[in-house]
Amino acid sequence: MFSSFWRSIDRFSVQHFKCVISELQKVKVVNEHNREYVVDLLQSIVEIVTYGDRQDPLIFECFMEHQVLADFVRILKTNENSKIDAPLLQYLSIMIQNMDSEQAIYYCFSNGYINNIISHPYKFDGGDLASYYVSFLRAISGKINGDTLCLLVKVHGDAVVSFPLYTEALRFAYHEEKMIQTAIRSLVLNIYNVSDDMVYQFILTPPVSEYFSDLVHRLRDLCFCLDTILYDKGEIEIQKRKNGLILQSDKIVDELYYFKDILSVGKPRLTKLVTENLLNGLVFPALFSLLVSKDNDESGLSAVTSLYIVSRLLQIVGGRSIVNNVACVILYHFLNLNATVRSEGNAIDDHDDVKPFAKCLSEIERIICYAPELNGAESITGNYLGAHWEDFMSGFRTDEICSKRRGILEFVFSEDCRLWLASIFLLLILAESKDLDCSLCPIIGLYGTGDVMMQTNSSSTSKPADGSIFTRFMPEIVNALLKVLGFQQSLSSMMLWHVGWCLLRLLSLNREGLNSDNLLLFTVSIQQLQLISVTHIASGYLFAQSSTCSFLIKLWLSKINTKVHWV
């Protein structure tokens, strides 16, 4: 008789769901007295909707019929300092993350409810509300696709005029908490991967597009911090300086990988804008230290830091536009071309349609005090370089190049081993890049790239390889590297490791081999490094379980395993 009276309530029934909705709709204002009760109602609704999305379509029909999301918006607006915002965003995030059906996602994103919740004027007072809010935004971004993204933007005519998910997310792009920064970057990449032309027009138009220039400015600030630590004149402990350099370098590398992720989206307009910002905001300013004397560059980055940053950029981000523009700048001093670049001309990299080098050429001309006479309206392209090889070679005699135009050679033969090692490292990275234009390869002159060039270009283009940087100055460069390995054990093991890496690459590509003096230095290097304690050998920096000593052993083996001619 009483069995029906004591029957348990099915929490996931439509009837119970209607009761919970009814209780929520009775709440006219949320304050400290009813906050816990409202939180329980929100939790119940989310649990039932999540269950219904997978198990009972009638539950979600009830959710739509009673417009429960409208009540969520109302709860936010009637909040009287009850701190209901955080749990509401938390439960909404859980609900959206667990939605599987396209119908459910489409409904939640329509009618403007989600945009109203995103745009609500929250009071971020340093608590955990920011974390819940960003998690909510990221949950939404995880469900967007080509069909649902249009529901989150406001369109006027043929243009997007509002995109709260993106613009509100960018407010937290530089939040002090690393987890929030990471979540925002994941959200941004989700949007980039599904955006259509109209959304991209909004994203790539000022002021929204300033996000990309801000990213570059942030990266530059990190570079200046690294430079400050490197040249700090205070009495800072060696270990603290080392830890600071490593920490700052890791931050820079993280930023570079984020740029790589953005460019990997593969959208041409996005790639063009980001690449232009990187070149104009970071690469060219960093490389100006290669074009001016140190006395005139006190406000910029040091040459060592500039070379390091550009090298890491090429290694991590790469890309035809970046690689070839960097090559043009650092090799510009060796080009004796009586022509200028039209601002509307073709850049070396037509694939990405990025032409910032042409825009900054006049600044380069002013800095190095060199103003070539106009000779037509030709561009510095691969074809142009090939057609003017003889002019190039006539200008590539170091005794005729003024000191202001020696460019990277000034650092290759610097007394500061950090400078010449960084410059050689950069040249090696350029020479081995698959993106380097074949007409620029012979200027650097490694046989690995020169052989490829010879197969793809005319004989007149391949001849100047004999006068290139590494070919003409190989004995001097190898000699300098061997002297460091053999006689400067005071250097860090990391530095010795990089010297060994550079030497390995050069010897594996050097057809002339070592002369008698360098061969003797090579033997001394082996003997000296064998005396270094294992605890001071850099291990696994670029390759797992490798060391400076094993590097030198590998060099010895290369006498047999490569085509190098040994004296």
Side-chain angles (χ1 to χ4, degrees), residues 18 107 146 185 192 211-212 224 245 256 258 288 304 312 328 339 343 354 406 426 483 523 532 539 551 553:
K18 289 180 178 180
Y107 170 77
R185 292 187 173 188
Y192 293 162
Y211 171 61
F212 303 108
F224 278 106
L245 290 173
L256 291 177
Y258 180 49
F288 278 165
V304 171
R312 297 301 281 152
C328 279
S343 60
V354 177
R406 291 190 62 181
L426 174 57
K483 283 183 178 179
T523 304
I532 299 176
S539 177
F551 234 149
I553 294 173

Side-chain angles (χ1 to χ4, degrees), residues 86-236:
L88 185 145
L89 292 172
Q90 180 185 18
Y91 292 133
L92 270 177
S93 300
I94 294 172
M95 183 181 75
I96 293 173
Q97 286 173 351
N98 287 280
M99 282 184 174
D100 291 331
S101 69
E102 295 183 3
Q103 179 190 14
I105 297 171
Y106 194 90
Y107 170 77
C108 288
F109 288 1
S110 61
N111 300 316
Y113 296 135
I114 292 295
N115 275 343
N116 287 334
I117 296 173
I118 292 174
S119 304
H120 180 75
Y122 300 95
K123 296 180 180 178
F124 300 104
D125 54 1
D128 57 359
L129 179 59
S131 298
Y132 289 117
Y133 181 72
V134 170
S135 296
F136 170 64
L137 298 182
R138 185 176 181 180
I140 297 171
S141 72
K143 297 296 181 179
I144 60 175
N145 55 40
D147 296 324
T148 57
L149 183 64
C150 61
L151 302 174
L152 299 174
V153 300
K154 183 179 180 180
V155 178
H156 181 72
D158 295 330
V160 174
V161 296
S162 176
F163 189 8
L165 176 63
Y166 184 73
T167 54
E168 293 300 318
L170 293 188
R171 293 173 54 195
F172 298 87
Y174 309 110
H175 197 274
E176 58 186 7
E177 291 188 24
K178 185 64 177 180
M179 291 183 64
I180 291 180
Q181 284 188 35
T182 303
I184 293 299
R185 292 187 173 188
S186 176
L187 177 154
V188 166
L189 291 173
N190 286 340
I191 292 175
Y192 293 162
N193 276 294
V194 300
S195 293
D196 56 19
D197 290 339
M198 289 179 62
V199 175
Y200 266 116
Q201 185 64 34
F202 175 80
I203 291 173
L204 303 179
T205 302
V208 181
S209 62
E210 292 174 2
Y211 171 61
F212 303 108
S213 58
D214 290 342
L215 279 175
V216 175
H217 288 312
R218 173 181 171 82
L219 180 56
R220 284 194 66 188
D221 290 342
L222 293 175
C223 295
F224 278 106
C225 289
L226 178 68
D227 203 45
T228 300
I229 297 173
L230 183 63
Y231 289 97
D232 183 80
K233 297 180 180 179
E235 296 182 358
I236 182 173

Side-chain angles (χ1 to χ4, degrees), residues 185 252-262 312 315-317:
R185 292 187 173 188
I252 292 172
V253 169
D254 286 343
E255 296 297 313
L256 291 177
Y257 272 111
Y258 180 49
F259 279 107
K260 180 180 180 180
D261 290 338
I262 295 176
R312 297 301 281 152
Q315 285 181 313
I316 296 172
V317 180

Side-chain angles (χ1 to χ4, degrees), residues 509-527:
L509 295 167
N510 176 24
R511 290 181 173 179
E512 300 301 324
L514 298 179
N515 57 35
S516 57
D517 293 335
N518 285 342
L519 187 58
L520 178 61
L521 277 174
F522 188 83
T523 304
V524 173
S525 301
I526 290 287
Q527 294 172 348

